[in-house]
Amino acid sequence: MRYPIILRYGGIVLLLNGAFLCLAALISLGYGDGGFFPLIYTCLIAVLFGIFPFIFIPPSEEISNKEGFTIVVSGWILSCIIGMVPYLLWGGEFTLSKAWFESVSGFTTTGASILTDIEVLPSGLLFWRASTHWIGGVGIIIFVLSVLPSMGRVGMILYRTEISALATSNFRYRAKKTMQLIMFVYLGLTALQSVFLMICGLNLFDAVTHAFSTISTGGFSPKNASIGHYGSVPVETVTMIFMALSGIHFGLLFIAFSGKPSVFFRSTVIRVYIFMLMAGIILAAVSVQGTVYPAWTDAFRHAAFQVISIGTSTGFATTDTNLWPPFAQLLLIFFMFQCACSGSTTGGIKIDRVVLLWHAFKKRIMKVEHPHAFVKAKIDGVTVDDDVLEATLLFITLFIVISFLSTLALGALGMDNMTAFSASAATLANVGPGFGLVGTAGNFSLIPEPGLLILSINMLLGRLEIFGLLLFFLLKFWK
Amino acid sequence: MGLRIKILSGFLILAAMLLVAGTWSIYELRNIGQSVQHILDDNYHSVNAAKCMTESLERQGSAVLLLMLGKREEGRTILQSAHESFSQALVAAHNNITLPGEQSCIDAIGKAYGEYRALWSQSIVGTGREGDLNWYLSEVHASFLAVKLAVASLMDLNDNAMYTTAYNLEARAHRATMPGIIAIASAFIFSLLFSFLINLYVVTPIISVTQGIRNYLESGKPLNVKVETSDELGRLVSSIQNLISRFQALRDRQ
């Protein structure tokens, strides 16, 4: 492992953060609020640590997959560290662990906040908060599309597209090609949503910050009541459409936007994704109609928004789901675990693994019926290897085990069962809000500081697909 | 990029960071000082005036009771002096309006006090009001409480403002110290990073070149030092290699 190369790319990550910090500082300067100094100061720190390795360490033509993986994971950790500095400098509600939590929540696109009053923050800090989602979102795509395939992971198996062909190329080529796809889809979706939100009546600042949070499936809003602040059906509809789009594999989105929309209907994962969302919306609407909302229109409106928001791991809210009946809450918890498609910015177990789990189940049944038969699991005509099925089952098991362990840890810290369980699941799946104290109308400010650190680890584990973070901290990896 | 620029750039940014940290800390400390001055200038004077008004009111209440007991001279003397001190305090409060809502508070005090004063300005001793406790309780005391309540609201307004300013002082103190703490931490990490990079890209190549030249002089081994950078060190190594190859060629010819 060549550490200087990792330092150089870590520097580039810091410089990217520095650029957004500078933009946020300029916004603060424009609004004349108190966020300028914390942001420009952090920007200088990011530039100091970013530019020095960048100019000292010469670029390398070839980067190994292991180095690429380390660059992405350490880039994430560095971003989280630099991301908390403006919060720390601002003070207010931010202690060290709360600033770290907010930063990790931003970069991992979780969207869980410790803030009891978001609107008192200066505009520049609010912009930075939304930017952490956006930067994190780009990072996720690079990680998922260019790093994970090289490590023989599950995600790419299901896609016989240009993207999966990239997996066989070297890191440098893959990263370059991937970046082009990302920038096209990511910037395009962000710009498009910002324009639509402005047409719906939001000002430029609110439109851009909400677009940042939607496309990255983050969930930070500059408003205390999230999207519910606007009480507007058009705003909710635009947000729902873009949340749903952001839950789809970005490679597929690229191909679909390139003039091949039929790719959507050929993909089993997309079909399951759409079916699950539709079924979830109908079931939730039936559950909340009459019990919470007298009118069917209101029931469908809020059910659709909450199911899509949780089902894509975004975490925006238009209503207090703590008031929903238990069945609707359990439904949301199911979506909290499942989330959307791999290759997108979503978190959770992901539909792909749910599809694989179903095929593993079918294969097992066939084996029980015909013990000597040679049974192959196939998805979209692609044979799925046994090690992929095994990795899927292991991932799902680990996901549930980690949720359970962190629930236990939070319970030991004095949290009630619902708060502890939903906070663990919501952070591990990078969803954001849970139930109880951390519901859509609440926040994470009442979680004790050790609890915040546990949940921060959950967020990083979830974002780096569990194995990513575990591998990074394994000594053997560094040899 | 040259070595000088590389080294300078890092230090320049570090200097800029320290400059911003220092400027910001000074700015916040000045703000803290101004906030304290604001508390003294704006709120403390109003609170003092409100206290003075309350005290004057209580003296006026006692004086009215003296009048009701038939002690005209004593009562009127106290009333006159208490009225003067109340009026002075009211003027002081009026001249120190610094908060939103303070003007309406003072207007309310003036109005309530006017009504209260109208009650005790009329003759009491030798009239039906002397010894009339019902009149005192239903009119004088009720009016007295109304003025006292209006004065209390002025005091509350200023007390709350003082509390908010003092509370904000904590945040300002945090913002004044935090840049320094982060600057120290950053400078420490930066010095480690700087040492690592200087060692890797400056010191190590110099040692390698020195060793290479020594090897060449002692055993004639060709200078085989690889320097990745294209700065002064890279050019130096390539110049030495050029010099050695020319020297070797000259020696071969001889």
Side-chain angles (χ1 to χ4, degrees), chain B residues 60-116:
Chain B
Q60 287 174 26
S62 309
V64 173
L65 286 172
L66 285 174
L67 290 174
M68 286 180 69
L69 290 170
K71 296 181 178 178
R72 186 198 303 257
E73 286 310 309
E74 211 176 337
R76 286 290 164 194
T77 312
I78 295 171
L79 266 178
Q80 190 54 38
S81 114
H83 169 64
E84 276 168 21
S85 63
F86 187 92
S87 301
Q88 279 170 9
L90 190 61
V91 169
H94 195 268
N95 291 336
N96 191 43
I97 293 170
T98 52
L99 297 170
E102 203 168 8
Q103 176 70 59
S104 59
C105 261
I106 290 167
D107 290 346
I109 294 170
K111 192 175 169 230
Y113 183 67
E115 286 166 9
Y116 178 56

Side-chain angles (χ1 to χ4, degrees), chain B residues 61 63-65 67-69 76 79 115-125 127-144:
Chain B
V64 173
L65 286 172
L67 290 174
M68 286 180 69
L69 290 170
R76 286 290 164 194
L79 266 178
E115 286 166 9
Y116 178 56
R117 193 185 161 201
L119 287 172
W120 57 253
S121 293
Q122 54 194 303
S123 300
I124 296 170
V125 179
T127 66
R129 293 182 197 97
E130 190 179 327
D132 186 356
L133 276 178
N134 284 335
W135 173 74
Y136 178 80
L137 285 173
S138 62
E139 292 192 37
V140 181
H141 190 65
S143 187
F144 166 84

Side-chain angles (χ1 to χ4, degrees), chain A residues 13-37:
Chain A
V13 170
L14 286 178
L15 288 176
L16 172 73
N17 280 302
F20 274 90
L21 281 161
C22 185
L23 190 61
L26 290 175
I27 288 171
S28 250
L29 197 64
Y31 277 95
D33 55 40
F36 177 73
F37 268 121

Side-chain angles (χ1 to χ4, degrees), chain A residues 182-429:
Chain A
I182 293 161
M183 287 346 275
F184 180 79
V185 179
Y186 207 68
L187 275 172
L189 284 177
T190 309
L192 212 60
Q193 196 197 350
S194 301
V195 171
F196 278 123
L197 286 176
M198 284 176 77
I199 292 169
C200 293
L202 265 66
N203 61 37
L204 179 66
F205 181 84
D206 283 5
V208 172
T209 47
H210 278 110
F212 275 12
S213 297
T214 311
I215 305 306
S216 60
T217 61
F220 278 160
S221 167
K223 302 294 177 194
N224 286 330
S226 189
I227 293 288
H229 170 88
Y230 302 100
S232 154
V233 175
V235 170
E236 289 167 23
T237 310
V238 167
T239 311
M240 276 192 278
I241 292 168
F242 280 90
M243 282 193 293
L245 280 175
S246 304
I248 294 172
H249 190 289
F250 272 52
L252 281 185
L253 278 182
F254 176 78
I255 295 162
F257 290 149
S258 309
K260 295 176 195 166
S262 59
V263 74
F264 275 153
F265 306 104
R266 286 209 305 269
S267 164
T268 306
V269 173
I270 304 289
R271 287 201 302 267
V272 173
Y273 171 59
I274 294 168
F275 171 77
M276 287 289 202
L277 283 183
M278 299 297 247
I281 291 167
I282 293 167
L283 288 172
V286 169
S287 173
V288 295
Q289 194 279 324
T291 51
V292 187
Y293 309 103
W296 275 105
T297 46
D298 283 342
F300 264 101
R301 175 186 165 186
H302 290 295
F305 192 93
Q306 262 55 236
V307 166
I308 295 176
S309 176
I310 301 290
T312 56
S313 83
T314 308
F316 281 139
T318 56
T319 186
D320 184 2
T321 49
N322 268 335
L323 305 173
W324 282 20
F327 173 73
Q329 291 188 353
L330 283 172
L331 201 65
L332 289 181
I333 288 175
F334 167 77
F335 277 102
M336 212 177 263
F337 275 87
Q338 177 199 265
C339 293
C341 314
S342 71
S344 71
T345 50
T346 192
I349 289 171
K350 294 184 183 70
I351 300 271
D352 310 55
R353 291 195 180 92
V354 175
V355 171
L356 282 169
L357 181 70
W358 170 245
H359 279 85
F361 172 73
K362 276 202 312 190
K363 191 179 168 183
R364 177 53 48 200
I365 294 290
M366 289 274 278
K367 285 289 249 183
V368 171
E369 281 178 354
H370 311 285
H372 302 295
F374 179 68
V375 186
K376 287 190 291 183
K378 269 190 170 185
I379 301 172
D380 294 344
V382 180
T383 304
V384 182
D385 294 336
D386 281 352
D387 63 332
V388 172
L389 291 178
E390 190 193 335
T392 302
L393 294 174
L394 184 63
F395 181 89
I396 295 171
T397 311
L398 270 177
F399 199 93
I400 293 165
V401 167
I402 293 168
S403 291
F404 181 69
L405 288 177
S406 48
T407 303
L408 271 182
L410 288 182
L413 291 169
M415 296 282 102
D416 65 272
N417 288 347
M418 191 55 160
T419 302
F421 174 66
S422 64
S424 301
T427 48
L428 189 61

Side-chain angles (χ1 to χ4, degrees), chain A residues 93-113:
Chain A
E93 290 186 66
F94 292 112
T95 58
L96 182 67
S97 53
K98 284 184 174 175
W100 168 252
F101 181 87
E102 196 80 3
S103 178
V104 174
S105 174
F107 281 106
T108 56
T109 74
T110 305
S113 181

Side-chain angles (χ1 to χ4, degrees), chain A residues 41 49 52 55 88-90, chain B residues 6 9 17 174-175 179 183 194:
Chain A
Y41 186 61
F49 286 104
F52 211 60
I55 59 174
L88 262 184
L89 289 168
W90 174 253
Chain B
K6 281 180 182 176
S9 60
M17 197 183 80
H174 171 92
R175 279 174 213 153
F194 183 73

